Amino acid sequence: MSAYLKEMPKVELHVHLEGTISASTAVELAARHGISADRLPLVDGRFPDPFSDFEHFVAVYIAISKLVREPQDLRTIAAAFARSQVEQNVLYTEVTFTAGTHIDNGMDERAMWEAVSDGLGQSGPGHEIHLIVDAVRDKGAQDGARTVALVEASSAPIVGLGLTGIEGSVAEREFRILREAATANGLGLAVHAGEAGGPGNIIAALDDLGADRIGHGVAAAREPRLLARLAAEGVPVEVCPSSNVALGLFPTLEDHPFPQMLAAGVNVSVNSDDPPFFSTTLTEELDIAQRLTGLSAAGILDLQRQAARSSFAPAETVERVLSAIDAYSID
Ligand SMILES: [Zn+2]
């Protein structure tokens, strides 16, 4: 991989904190809690590759998330994630955090926010990490209300609300409380849509929820009018190529519609989603994006600028990140 992609200042908008737990960290957390490693959903000490389908992935993901039992576990995974973002020179990250999972797991609410803030804060001021707190579709509309209540009581660095989970399980319009709370609290709203679901889920995210960003959105590539709408409205779409292939949406990376979305003028960013689950990193995803599109290094850097402008960060943070990107010269 080109060295400049490793060093390039980056922005990441779509990555899940619970999805950054590596197989070895999962084994470590299991040991902390007296769980035998052979009870983990790993194959030869690694995540299944490939997952048999989206539901299989979700089952593994939930089992791994449940290893985070104590605030100290959360601090461990957040600090490890912060280190990995610094190593990749990610200047600004929005990481999705499913707070409800940890509350369900019995964690104290205040201790949870302290632990995640403390762990993420270890990236230091030059590599800021902010939170998007998500509700999960398949947990039902009440998870939207619960997520809003958790966020409104928190003093953690939260910049957005999210909607994730299995598309089609519960309609987008059932989560209107997320839109209302985002507007009331000055937060962004990022909705996973058109991943395993179809173009209709993207349309519902836009029309029923007023989504500020779409997570994945690759189903739009099947519907030229929707692609044109996304481009015309400048809707930021967070694309995660390796995740989509690992979950069987496309047979190979070469079949991924990222080049088509870019060519249609969609405001795309490149993201890692759940990097160790898909044996990837943000740097590798950018390498893939460059390979699929033939973008120059300057073109990849422009994607970072576009991601910064599509972030939910305060204006002064966006300006700082854009200045740092401008100061970076490609040799
Ligand atoms: Zn995601």
Side-chain angles (χ1 to χ4, degrees):
M1 190 193 302
S2 325
Y4 70 84
L5 282 180
K6 287 185 191 159
E7 294 163 11
M8 180 181 281
K10 303 178 187 71
V11 173
E12 182 159 39
L13 303 178
H14 188 134
V15 56
H16 299 262
L17 185 61
E18 296 83 0
T20 65
I21 302 173
S22 66
S24 60
T25 300
V27 170
E28 181 191 327
L29 293 177
R32 266 186 207 179
H33 301 302
I35 300 165
S36 160
D38 58 20
R39 286 182 52 208
L40 298 178
L42 303 175
V43 182
D44 298 329
R46 305 174 63 113
F47 290 115
D49 181 18
F51 293 93
S52 41
D53 54 22
F54 190 72
E55 282 72 13
H56 178 213
F57 164 73
V58 169
V60 171
Y61 186 90
I62 289 171
I64 297 297
S65 297
K66 284 186 173 168
L67 297 170
V68 179
R69 294 187 177 180
E70 303 291 337
Q72 186 55 40
D73 303 336
L74 196 49
R75 195 174 279 107
T76 296
I77 68 166
F81 175 64
R83 278 195 299 277
S84 76
Q85 295 303 83
V86 172
E87 280 164 15
Q88 297 186 84
N89 199 22
V90 187
L91 302 185
Y92 179 80
T93 305
E94 287 176 4
V95 64
T96 296
F97 175 59
T98 313
T101 300
H102 306 293
I103 298 297
D104 289 344
N105 231 4
M107 202 180 290
D108 174 74
E109 190 176 326
R110 181 194 281 264
M112 172 185 76
W113 292 121
E114 279 176 9
V116 72
S117 302
D118 182 43
L120 295 178
Q122 294 187 27
S123 64
H127 297 86
E128 276 179 55
I129 306 178
H130 290 172
L131 291 164
I132 292 175
V133 183
D134 65 312
V136 181
R137 279 182 177 85
D138 31 305
K139 286 189 183 171
Q142 66 275 17
D143 199 51
R146 189 257 293 259
T147 300
V148 166
L150 285 167
V151 166
E152 289 184 340
S154 170
S155 54
I158 298 166
V159 292
L161 294 171
L163 181 63
T164 60
I166 297 173
E167 291 176 67
S169 56
V170 178
E172 283 76 12
R173 64 177 178 274
E174 300 297 325
F175 294 92
R176 283 202 58 88
I177 191 170
L178 297 176
R179 173 69 272 161
E180 290 153 14
T183 302
N185 293 289
L187 303 171
L189 176 59
V191 178
H192 279 52
E195 180 188 12
N201 294 99
I202 299 173
I203 293 167
L206 295 173
D207 293 346
D208 297 346
L209 292 180
D212 297 306
R213 291 203 311 251
I214 297 292
H216 296 288
V218 288
R222 290 185 240 149
E223 188 66 69
R225 278 190 309 181
L226 180 54
L227 265 192
R229 176 183 174 184
L230 292 172
E233 295 180 8
V235 178
V237 179
E238 311 146 3
V239 183
C240 313
S242 291
S243 165
N244 297 155
V245 172
L247 298 182
L249 301 182
F250 307 101
T252 71
L253 285 167
E254 284 65 35
D255 301 300
H256 195 280
F258 181 75
Q260 187 190 344
M261 298 167 80
L262 184 71
V266 178
N267 174 356
V268 282
S269 59
V270 178
N271 302 274
S272 66
D273 206 7
D274 307 291
F277 285 68
F278 309 131
S279 307
T280 193
T281 63
L282 177 60
T283 306
E284 287 184 43
E285 294 306 292
L286 291 171
D287 190 56
I288 288 164
Q290 184 165 40
R291 185 155 50 79
L292 294 179
T293 58
L295 274 175
S296 65
I300 297 291
L301 202 57
D302 275 340
L303 289 180
Q304 308 314 306
R305 289 188 178 92
Q306 187 163 266
R309 292 189 198 101
S310 302
S311 76
F312 301 146
E316 61 269 25
T317 302
V318 175
E319 285 308 315
R320 183 185 60 72
V321 172
L322 289 174
S323 302
I325 292 173
D326 287 344
Y328 177 77
S329 67
I330 297 164
D331 301 319

